[in-house]
């Protein structure tokens, strides 16, 4: 699985030109059909339909699903919806209040928050390193008082700094940015810091 740009035409052009690299061996990826279509819940109840592109490595011959950055692996909700829930939880609200504000099932939201809490220290470390790498004199966020709040704060700060460096990042939600930065592993597994 590889997180790519949400622009399907751009991804297809880069895939056909051999510009996408295999995350396993670094060789170029080639087109290899499509994954099964899936529906993703977007912001304000919007329904997004995604049919992920599949690719095959020209070196190791492993196949990879190319997920657009606004979708995280194994999630029915878009990155910005999950991120909004995490931001509300960082303010100290419980999963029931977050679910009510987003109009989603309590179990779904509780799952996001639990997973993020378990990974919050690793996410905070990863994006702190990212923030320092992006800026000569980074503005570090104030401590939020909880590991979840600290992780959310540094993701927001890293996105803000990236948007100053590359204005086109203003069109990418901070949670799509976060997912792309760590290959969609915001909730699924602990990201490693390089």
């Amino acid at each position: 699985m590889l997180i790519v740009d949400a622009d399907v035409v751009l991804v297809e052009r880069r895939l056909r030109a051999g510009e996408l690299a295999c995350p396993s061996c670094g060789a170029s990826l080639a087109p290899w059909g499509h994954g099964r279509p899936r529906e993703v819940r977007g912001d304000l109840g919007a329904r997004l339909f995604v049919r992920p592109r599949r690719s095959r490595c020209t070196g190791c011959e492993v196949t990879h699903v190319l997920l657009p950055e606004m979708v995280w692996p194994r999630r029915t909700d878009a990155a910005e919806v999950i991120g909004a829930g995490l931001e509300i939880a960082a303010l100290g609200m419980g999963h029931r209040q977050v679910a009510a504000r987003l109009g989603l099932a309590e179990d779904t939201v509780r799952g996001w928050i639990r997973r993020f809490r378990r990974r919050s220290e690793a996410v905070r470390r990863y994006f702190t390193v990212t923030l320092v790498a992006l800026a000569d004199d980074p503005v570090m966020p104030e401590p939020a008082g909880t590991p979840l709040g600290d992780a959310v704060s540094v993701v927001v700060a890293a996105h803000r700094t990236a948007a100053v460096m590359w204005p086109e990042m203003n069109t990418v939600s901070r949670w799509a940015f976060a997912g792309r930065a760590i290959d969609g592993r915001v909730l699924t597994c602990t990201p490693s810091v390089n």
Side-chain angles (χ1 to χ4, degrees):
M1 193 264 326
L2 181 66
I3 302 292
V4 295
D5 196 284
D7 183 341
V8 178
V9 175
L10 174 66
V11 171
E12 188 66 26
R13 184 173 50 234
R14 291 188 66 208
L15 182 61
R16 292 189 181 279
E19 296 174 359
L20 295 178
C22 174
S24 303
C25 74
S28 63
L29 297 175
W32 192 258
H34 290 84
R36 66 179 179 81
R38 54 191 276 204
E39 183 179 328
V40 178
R41 289 183 294 226
D43 199 17
L44 301 173
R47 293 174 20 172
L48 311 170
F49 295 93
V50 178
R51 187 172 181 217
R53 187 65 154 119
R54 291 184 61 79
S55 64
R56 185 172 183 185
C57 177
T58 57
C60 65
E61 298 185 351
V62 171
T63 62
H64 300 280
V65 173
L66 307 179
L67 273 183
E69 61 197 353
M70 80 271 196
V71 179
W72 288 348
R74 303 181 189 280
R75 298 288 153 219
T76 303
D77 297 287
E80 64 186 22
V81 174
I82 298 170
L86 297 175
E87 288 180 31
I88 295 168
L91 297 173
M93 291 189 191
H95 74 274
R96 288 183 182 92
Q97 292 172 306
V98 175
R101 285 186 177 240
L102 296 177
L104 296 172
E106 291 178 6
D107 288 345
T108 299
V109 174
R110 182 177 53 229
W112 302 339
I113 294 170
R114 280 183 179 170
R115 286 178 178 273
F116 192 74
R117 273 198 181 114
R118 285 196 301 257
R119 291 153 179 80
S120 59
E121 179 57 25
V123 170
R124 185 200 60 76
R125 263 194 328 266
Y126 186 93
F127 282 98
T128 299
V129 169
T130 301
L131 179 58
V132 170
L134 287 172
D136 293 333
D137 189 19
V139 177
M140 300 305 287
E142 293 293 321
T146 65
L148 185 144
D150 289 342
V152 166
S153 295
V154 78
V155 167
V156 171
H159 179 262
R160 186 179 311 117
T161 302
V164 169
M165 291 185 66
W166 302 289
E168 63 272 12
M169 288 302 295
N170 284 311
T171 63
V172 176
S173 82
R174 57 182 152 245
W175 294 98
F177 161 80
R180 185 147 184 205
I182 57 177
D183 296 325
R185 297 176 295 166
V186 177
L187 299 177
T188 56
C189 67
T190 304
S192 59
V193 178
N194 294 334

